[in-house]
Amino acid sequence: MKQTEYLIIGAGIVGCSAAYFLAKEKKEVMIVDRTYPCNEASGVNAGGLELLQQPPRSLPLHKLSAELWRQFQYEEGIDVGYQRTGGLFCVLREEDLHLLDEQEERFALNGLPVQRLTKEQVNEKVPYICDNVIAANFSPTSGYSNPLKAGVNILNAAKKLGVEFMDHQIITKIEPAQDGDGYIACSENETFHAKKVLVTSGIRSPRLLDPLGVHIELEEKHNMITVTEKAPHFIDYTITTPTMTMKQTAEGSFLIGGGREGYGDLATSDRKDVSINGLCFNVREAQDIIPSISKLNILRSWSGFEGFTPERLPYIGEAEKYPGVYYAVTGFCGYAIGPAAAAHLIKCIKGEEYFKVHGDETN
């Protein structure tokens, strides 16, 4: 039996960040994962840290996350591939102009800078952009990080502070210890005893939380990403529309994502796949925005599981009937918001004010 003070189940960006924050406070921490760190949603996304398209109530969390990403890269010395490039949210139809107004209102309420750009100003910022963009908002706080190394490097930093990690541990149940001291978590080949348990398993969290009386409704999504070959750098900002995201990485490749989904069914299989039609829509819209990328070859495309809550907000808290069992389950743009969700989970554990979804409890 493995003994620890804090057991974290799920080594995605939320779990790895929580492990690091706890380790900095000299807590005894063990983190386990069913496969490898950031092997699913936290490792297969495009790395976008966009603020303009976020739901109003989650924007303060994205603001905090942007600061935490910056701290990881420049103050903590953890290479998460963070770049604060600034981001454009582009509108191509007059009926979508209201989205820019709503973004400006949200940013003003949260003390975030935003600039409305005319068609001419957009073309001045991005000379290679198409003439179909009629207006845009610019957020200097937006940017991206590298999901291929961010979570893994945060976990490695936590391990240097004493955190233990075990892979291929599929936790099947969490139950109170017989002596009343903490909890027992069981996998197929190991048993863990912990004073406190943190569930950060993303879309798989309900499997562990439902038996504990915590119900989180998650809509299964299968987001797709496409990566191109490298090109000389010519796009300085992240670019989004209501249905597409695009950025040129520091290495020169373009990452293209959007609202069109791939295929998968987590209830029957871990397998997921791309939709060729959806993929073509994403790529076509990207080249309609930046026509010159049509000259680039696509290297690969993939899809990944992600869970969306009805409110597109993260659920963070302590199981009412099982004090000492905590959870943080993101509900939209989980990778971007991950560090902030972890920070609020730590606040919850400490008994401090933290983000809650329902009613006047939301901070």
Side-chain angles (χ1 to χ4, degrees):
M1 180 182 291
K2 300 289 185 181
Q3 301 277 348
T4 187
E5 183 180 2
Y6 290 85
L7 176 66
I8 301 176
I9 303 172
I13 192 66
V14 178
C16 291
S17 298
Y20 179 72
F21 295 149
L22 287 170
K24 285 184 65 179
E25 297 182 359
K26 304 189 183 305
K27 304 297 185 183
E28 182 188 25
V29 181
M30 177 173 285
I31 181 169
V32 300
D33 195 271
R34 66 190 307 277
T35 56
Y36 299 105
C38 296
N39 193 49
E40 295 197 5
S42 292
V44 300
N45 64 87
L49 308 176
E50 308 290 348
L51 278 75
L52 285 165
Q53 78 272 40
Q54 303 305 334
R57 290 174 60 196
S58 69
L59 189 54
L61 294 177
H62 283 274
K63 180 181 178 180
L64 171 60
S65 245
E67 180 57 25
L68 291 172
W69 283 110
R70 186 198 65 79
Q71 287 181 20
F72 284 145
Q73 186 75 37
Y74 299 114
E75 296 180 17
E76 308 286 346
I78 303 171
D79 183 9
V80 294
Y82 177 69
Q83 301 279 337
R84 183 169 289 187
T85 58
L88 286 165
F89 184 93
C90 298
V91 166
L92 290 79
R93 307 181 308 168
E94 288 191 8
E95 53 263 43
D96 289 333
L97 285 172
H98 70 95
L99 297 174
L100 303 183
D101 297 331
E102 293 164 6
Q103 290 168 358
E104 288 180 314
E105 292 175 6
R106 295 199 294 269
F107 270 53
L109 288 172
N110 287 278
L112 284 165
V114 64
Q115 179 185 5
R116 174 71 67 92
L117 302 177
T118 64
K119 179 175 183 176
E120 291 72 26
Q121 290 171 319
V122 172
N123 282 313
E124 185 178 341
K125 251 189 190 315
V126 187
Y128 302 98
I129 208 162
C130 72
D131 290 334
N132 294 332
V133 175
I134 60 174
N137 274 339
F138 176 70
S139 161
T141 314
S142 294
Y144 67 88
S145 66
N146 186 339
L148 296 179
K149 58 184 178 181
V152 172
N153 284 348
I154 292 169
L155 178 58
N156 286 337
K159 289 163 72 174
K160 290 179 181 178
L161 297 174
V163 170
E164 294 184 65
F165 171 70
M166 291 184 65
D167 58 31
H168 290 84
Q169 299 296 318
I170 301 177
I171 303 299
T172 56
K173 63 178 178 179
I174 302 167
E175 58 187 13
Q178 289 186 353
D179 61 4
D181 183 20
Y183 291 88
I184 299 295
C186 301
S187 73
E188 294 176 351
N189 54 5
E190 190 58 84
T191 301
F192 303 87
H193 179 270
K195 301 285 188 182
K196 293 178 171 58
V197 176
L198 284 59
V199 179
T200 59
S201 305
I203 195 171
R204 289 183 170 83
S205 298
R207 178 176 56 84
L208 291 173
L209 293 173
D210 278 343
L212 303 178
V214 178
H215 177 67
I216 298 174
E217 184 179 346
L218 286 174
E219 179 186 2
E220 186 176 313
K221 294 288 186 177
H222 316 98
N223 295 327
M224 295 192 299
I225 304 296
T226 296
V227 60
T228 73
E229 64 182 322
K230 296 178 182 178
H233 193 85
F234 68 98
I235 302 296
D236 294 325
Y237 314 107
T238 63
I239 297 175
T240 59
T241 72
T243 54
M244 187 274 303
T245 69
M246 175 171 53
K247 65 186 68 64
Q248 187 175 21
T249 68
E251 293 77 19
S253 298
F254 278 85
L255 291 176
I256 302 165
R260 289 93 179 186
E261 286 193 70
Y263 299 108
D265 182 1
L266 196 59
T268 59
S269 171
D270 287 344
R271 183 177 177 180
K272 56 269 185 186
D273 206 347
V274 299
S275 158
I276 298 302
N277 286 338
L279 178 67
C280 290
F281 274 115
N282 283 350
V283 171
R284 189 176 298 120
E285 184 171 353
Q287 70 180 28
D288 284 346
I289 297 289
I290 307 291
S292 56
I293 69 167
S294 61
K295 302 174 183 178
L296 301 177
N297 292 314
I298 291 174
L299 297 183
R300 63 191 182 105
S301 299
W302 65 92
S303 64
F305 290 113
E306 186 177 5
F308 284 12
T309 60
E311 307 89 345
R312 302 300 192 258
L313 297 171
Y315 276 67
I316 300 166
E318 181 179 17
E320 182 179 353
K321 297 179 181 178
Y322 296 88
V325 176
Y326 301 88
Y327 55 90
V329 183
T330 55
F332 179 69
C333 289
Y335 174 80
I337 208 171
H344 277 267
L345 178 60
I346 304 303
K347 288 185 176 184
C348 174
I349 293 170
K350 292 179 176 180
E352 300 173 359
E353 289 189 352
Y354 66 96
F355 182 89
K356 299 179 183 178
V357 169
H358 295 295
D360 58 5
E361 294 178 325
T362 302
N363 295 309

